[in-house]
Amino acid sequence: LIILPGGESLQNESLNAIFPYGDNQFLLISEKRGLVTYDGQNFTPLESPVNSLIVGQNSFGKLLDNGFYAIGTRTNGVLILDKSARLHQRMGKKQGLLDESVWSIEEDHFTHNLWVACNNGISLIEAGSPFTSFQERTIANGQFYYLGEHNNTLFATSSVGLYKKEPKTSDKDLSFNTFTLLGDAGLQTWHLYCDDELAIITSNIGIFTIENNQFQNIGFRERAWYLQPLSKFPGYILANTVEGLILLK
């Protein structure tokens, strides 16, 4: 064995994985530095917010069939990085892992799902599925009735309130992206109408618009269920309520 050019700089470090990266480069996982690139001459630390989840973790790495990188950590679950080593997905107990201490990852080359060896058993990540499940462990419980999108935010009406899921605005955001309850719990919300300018919900205590994450009652405070925009009369919405049909403008 011989030391690679520039390898002296890593002689006292633990390297947990090495992958092909970009054009004629390699991506390494260093327990001390996190992500490091190698171009055949120089080892260069890759500035990435992901490093805070990798350093000191004795991580396990796997190159996936789609060119993404799966990294198992000791306390931060599974990280999926895209081909540019940006965080694509993070999975922990809230997403269904038995625990967040990962020892090995294997990919099913037919389904592209991931088998993950954890401290407390084996977990299956359905990475090959286009669907994501949001359940009680992801802080989304109750019965769900309707989904709608307004200003890049996803809203969901439910038996316990109105949930929202906002998009991530930065690669530096490493949190689990889940639904959160808007306002107080216990408000049963039924239906949702959204367009480019307006978001309206019906509930057991009236009809509300959503403005700056706040409920604003439109003047009707009885139970209301369904909202139907009138295509032949733009700007008008028909609402089904306990008092009968009402017309909103």
Side-chain angles (χ1 to χ4, degrees):
L1 296 178
I2 60 172
I3 297 179
L4 292 173
E8 298 85 357
S9 62
L10 299 176
Q11 61 182 347
N12 295 320
E13 296 187 30
S14 175
L15 301 178
N16 298 324
I18 180 168
F19 311 107
Y21 177 71
D23 295 329
N24 301 317
Q25 293 191 77
F26 294 94
L27 180 69
L28 295 81
I29 300 177
S30 165
E31 189 168 348
K32 182 178 180 181
R33 306 188 195 189
L35 299 178
V36 177
T37 61
Y38 180 61
D39 61 6
Q41 296 294 327
N42 300 300
F43 291 87
T44 305
L46 185 63
E47 293 186 9
S48 170
V50 176
N51 289 335
S52 63
L53 301 174
I54 297 176
V55 171
Q57 288 287 313
N58 190 24
S59 304
F60 174 89
K62 182 80 173 180
L63 178 64
L64 304 180
D65 287 347
N66 63 358
F68 283 21
Y69 310 99
I71 299 175
T73 68
R74 291 297 171 262
T75 60
N76 292 319
V78 174
L79 313 176
I80 306 294
L81 310 185
D82 64 16
K83 296 178 182 179
S84 298
R86 295 186 297 256
L87 183 65
H88 173 71
Q89 194 173 10
R90 179 182 175 189
M91 287 156 286
K93 290 186 69 175
K94 289 183 177 180
Q95 286 68 43
L97 289 186
L98 291 173
D99 59 74
E100 296 183 355
S101 185
V102 176
W103 296 96
S104 182
I105 301 171
E106 288 297 330
E107 181 179 13
D108 184 319
H109 296 294
F110 179 74
T111 64
H112 302 293
N113 294 329
L114 303 180
W115 294 97
V116 181
C118 304
N119 268 350
N120 296 322
I122 298 174
S123 296
L124 174 65
I125 297 175
E126 294 183 331
S129 171
F131 298 100
T132 298
S133 175
F134 295 94
Q135 304 175 20
E136 185 172 358
R137 60 174 177 256
T138 57
I139 322 178
N141 58 348
Q143 294 178 315
F144 287 83
Y145 306 124
Y146 195 81
L147 290 169
E149 186 178 12
H150 178 64
N151 290 339
N152 295 320
T153 297
L154 189 63
F155 291 95
T157 61
S158 80
S159 58
V160 297
L162 181 68
Y163 284 92
K164 69 171 184 175
K165 181 178 180 293
E166 295 180 319
K168 291 190 176 184
T169 58
S170 171
D171 290 340
K172 296 181 180 180
D173 184 1
L174 304 177
S175 62
F176 296 108
N177 197 15
T178 62
F179 280 90
T180 57
L181 195 62
L182 186 64
D184 296 329
L187 173 63
Q188 188 166 26
T189 56
W190 292 102
H191 197 234
L192 174 69
Y193 169 77
C194 296
D195 59 25
D196 293 338
E197 299 179 355
L198 188 65
I200 307 175
I201 65 163
T202 59
S203 74
N204 280 354
I205 59 172
I207 301 175
F208 297 84
T209 59
I210 307 300
E211 302 175 19
N212 299 319
N213 292 326
Q214 299 292 325
F215 294 99
Q216 301 293 332
N217 189 273
I218 67 169
F220 185 82
R221 298 184 181 276
E222 301 297 331
R223 182 174 299 181
W225 293 286
Y226 193 79
L227 297 168
Q228 177 61 54
L230 303 179
S231 58
K232 293 185 177 181
F233 301 93
Y236 288 88
I237 299 174
L238 200 60
N240 176 21
T241 78
V242 71
E243 296 185 354
L245 296 176
I246 63 173
L247 187 64
L248 308 179
K249 179 180 180 181

